[in-house]
């Protein structure tokens, strides 16, 4: 449908650009879908439907349309109507004062915010003690470092300061402030459950929410209670913030391909955002994450790579294809490692079954 609309909107050229943007967003979305699925599987059916309805509106209208308009409006001191008019002019990204130019100029701040947020998500996962490791030679030392209280925040701050010093002149303070806001946002959203006593037992559900939202809990869907009410609402908020953070690189990168906001909304929104949710629902309903246990690890390594790439783009240009390929490689490698592990476990169980049968 998005491709058909693009064709009638701008002909063959618009259709091709829409397809390119759709492919770009899909390639960047596999790690996003895995993380989303870990959170979504803990939510009730009602809240899963909210994610597929309200969440779609937030992803398409909010992140792919309203967010760029907001950034340009704030940067250029424009009201919403002026920002929309500027966007519809479809100015070139290299022409000063155009919509694409202003959004590209704000890229360092956006990259700092999203990069630090995703870096905190990656570090919190890797610093958690767990029995199952994928890349043991890296994950075990990281888990050991995680014993140091506040290690994730300290490392993220050091990397942010380095990124700020490498930013182009005049952007250093903006990058530093944006990165700190990204860190604060992560800490606030991750700790929202502290404000609620969902079970009515006098105990805070913060630990449960953080565990679910950070995809640390590794239990099967079967027989596990689903989050409802305030707990589910907190998870939904966390889910939307994470989903938005994954969108930053795609939204900014899209303007290097086209400055037409309609094509961007069709390619990134209707194709990309809906693909992420389709894949997320598939992973939840099929129980894929429990069958292939390294997928969580692969997704978070992809998140770590994405966060570093975002922070690197503050000072250098990185092709979006590289970002997409890295994510696919990590997810693919984790999937294959999971298949090999499952076969090895099945082979080890087979002799035991034969002995019992005998």
């Amino acid at each position: 449908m998005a491709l058909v609309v693009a064709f009638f909107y701008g002909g063959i050229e618009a259709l091709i650009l829409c397809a390119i943007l759709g492919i770009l967003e899909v390639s960047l979305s596999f790690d996003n879908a895995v993380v989303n699925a870990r959170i979504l599987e803990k939510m009730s059916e009602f809240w899963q439907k909210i994610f597929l309805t309200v969440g779609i509106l937030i992803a398409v209208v909010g992140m792919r349309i309203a967010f760029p308009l907001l950034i340009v409006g704030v940067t250029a001191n424009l009201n919403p109507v002026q920002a929309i008019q500027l966007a519809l002019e479809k100015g070139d990204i290299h022409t000063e004062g155009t919509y694409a130019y202003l959004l590209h100029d704000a890229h360092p701040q956006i990259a700092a915010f999203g990069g630090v947020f995703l870096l905190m998500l990656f570090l919190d996962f890797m610093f958690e003690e767990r029995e199952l490791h994928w890349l043991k030679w890296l994950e075990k030392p990281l888990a050991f470092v995680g014993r140091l209280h506040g290690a994730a925040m300290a490392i993220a701050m050091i990397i942010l300061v380095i990124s700020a010093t490498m930013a182009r002149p005049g952007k250093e303070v903006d990058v530093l402030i944006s990165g700190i806001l990204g860190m604060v946002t992560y800490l606030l959203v991750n700790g929202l459950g502290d404000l609620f006593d969902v079970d009515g037992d006098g105990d805070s559900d913060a630990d449960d929410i953080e565990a679910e939202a950070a995809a640390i809990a590794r239990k099967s869907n079967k027989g596990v209670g689903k989050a409802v009410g305030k707990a589910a609402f907190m998870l939904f908020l966390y889910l939307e913030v994470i989903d938005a953070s994954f969108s930053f690189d795609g939204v900014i990168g899209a303007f290097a391909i086209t400055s037409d906001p309609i094509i961007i909304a069709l390619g990134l929104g209707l194709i990309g955002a809906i693909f992420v949710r389709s894949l997320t629902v598939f992973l939840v309903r099929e129980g894929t994450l429990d069958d292939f246990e390294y997928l969580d690890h692969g997704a978070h390594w992809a998140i770590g790579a994405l966060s570093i790439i975002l922070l690197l783009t503050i000072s250098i240009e990185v092709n979006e294809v590289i970002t997409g390929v890295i994510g696919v490689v990590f997810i693919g490698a984790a999937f294959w490692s999971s298949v090999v592990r499952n076969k090895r476990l099945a082979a080890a169980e087979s002799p035991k079954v034969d002995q019992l049968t005998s």
Side-chain angles (χ1 to χ4, degrees):
M1 289 176 62
L3 293 175
V4 170
V5 172
F7 175 76
F8 282 104
Y9 170 74
I12 292 294
E13 181 182 359
L15 185 149
I16 294 173
L17 290 174
C18 181
I20 291 173
L21 289 175
I23 294 171
L24 170 66
E25 187 72 357
V26 166
S27 68
L28 295 170
S29 299
F30 287 98
D31 49 355
N32 190 3
V34 172
V35 174
N36 286 355
R38 267 303 177 195
I39 304 172
L40 195 67
E41 68 181 11
K42 307 301 181 185
M43 299 166 70
S44 67
E45 185 178 350
F46 170 80
W47 282 99
Q48 290 182 6
K49 290 180 179 178
I50 292 294
F51 173 70
L52 293 172
T53 52
V54 178
I56 282 286
L57 289 177
I58 295 174
V60 177
V61 179
M63 283 307 300
R64 274 71 177 187
I65 299 177
F67 172 72
L69 288 171
L70 176 64
I71 293 298
V72 170
V74 172
T75 303
N77 196 25
L78 302 175
N79 62 47
V81 175
Q82 292 173 323
I84 292 172
Q85 290 175 341
L86 187 63
L88 294 176
E89 290 177 4
K90 311 172 190 177
D92 185 78
I93 193 172
H94 301 294
T95 303
E96 188 171 352
T98 63
Y99 181 75
Y101 178 89
L102 291 171
L103 188 61
H104 181 72
D105 187 61
H107 172 74
Q109 298 96 296
I110 299 170
F113 183 95
V116 170
F117 184 96
L118 293 176
L119 181 62
M120 289 290 292
L121 178 62
F122 164 74
L123 291 175
D124 271 357
F125 179 87
M126 290 300 163
F127 286 170
E128 185 74 13
E129 288 285 353
R130 56 175 43 82
E131 295 181 2
L132 182 67
H133 294 283
W134 177 38
L135 304 177
K136 295 181 180 180
W137 56 282
L138 277 174
E139 292 179 7
K140 284 189 174 181
L142 286 173
F144 179 78
V145 173
R147 296 178 183 177
L148 177 65
H149 184 69
M153 191 182 303
I155 293 174
M157 184 60 73
I158 291 172
I159 294 176
L160 172 61
V161 171
I162 294 173
S163 300
T165 58
M166 296 173 62
R168 65 176 182 266
K171 289 288 185 179
E172 298 92 343
V173 175
D174 292 338
V175 167
L176 193 60
I177 292 174
S178 298
I180 292 173
L181 289 175
M183 185 181 299
V184 170
T185 301
Y186 176 84
L187 294 173
L188 285 177
V189 176
N190 207 29
L192 276 175
D194 288 331
L195 301 177
F196 298 97
D197 175 20
V198 181
D199 296 327
D201 56 3
D203 297 324
S204 170
D205 289 278
D207 294 337
D208 295 335
I209 292 172
E210 288 183 9
E212 294 172 34
I216 295 172
R218 296 294 173 262
K219 298 180 181 179
S220 171
N221 274 358
K222 300 175 182 178
V224 177
K226 304 294 184 179
V228 295
K230 295 176 183 177
F233 179 67
M234 292 300 103
L235 287 174
F236 175 74
L237 289 182
Y238 193 98
L239 195 56
E240 290 305 316
V241 174
I242 289 179
D243 195 57
S245 299
F246 277 103
S247 303
F248 291 146
D249 57 331
V251 171
I252 300 301
F255 283 88
I257 298 173
T258 177
S259 57
D260 191 324
I262 304 299
I263 300 299
I264 291 174
L266 290 171
L268 297 188
L270 292 183
I271 297 178
I274 291 177
F275 171 83
V276 175
R277 279 152 180 76
S278 299
L279 183 57
T280 298
V281 171
F282 172 83
L283 294 175
V284 171
R285 292 179 178 173
E286 298 297 322
T288 305
L289 298 185
D290 293 316
D291 294 335
F292 304 95
E293 295 191 4
Y294 289 141
L295 280 179
D296 278 325
H297 299 256
H300 281 84
W301 278 109
I303 290 170
L306 174 60
S307 67
I308 296 300
I309 289 174
L310 275 173
L311 293 172
L312 283 175
T313 59
I314 292 173
S315 54
I316 62 175
E317 293 287 338
V318 178
N319 194 297
E320 290 75 21
V321 174
I322 296 175
T323 308
V325 169
I326 287 178
V328 171
V329 167
F330 273 117
I331 296 295
F335 175 78
W336 177 250
S337 297
S338 299
V339 171
V340 172
R341 177 178 181 271
N342 290 345
K343 289 182 178 179
R344 185 174 65 249
L345 292 176
E349 287 292 327
S350 182
K352 296 180 181 179
V353 173
D354 292 339
Q355 290 177 0
L356 290 173
T357 304
S358 301

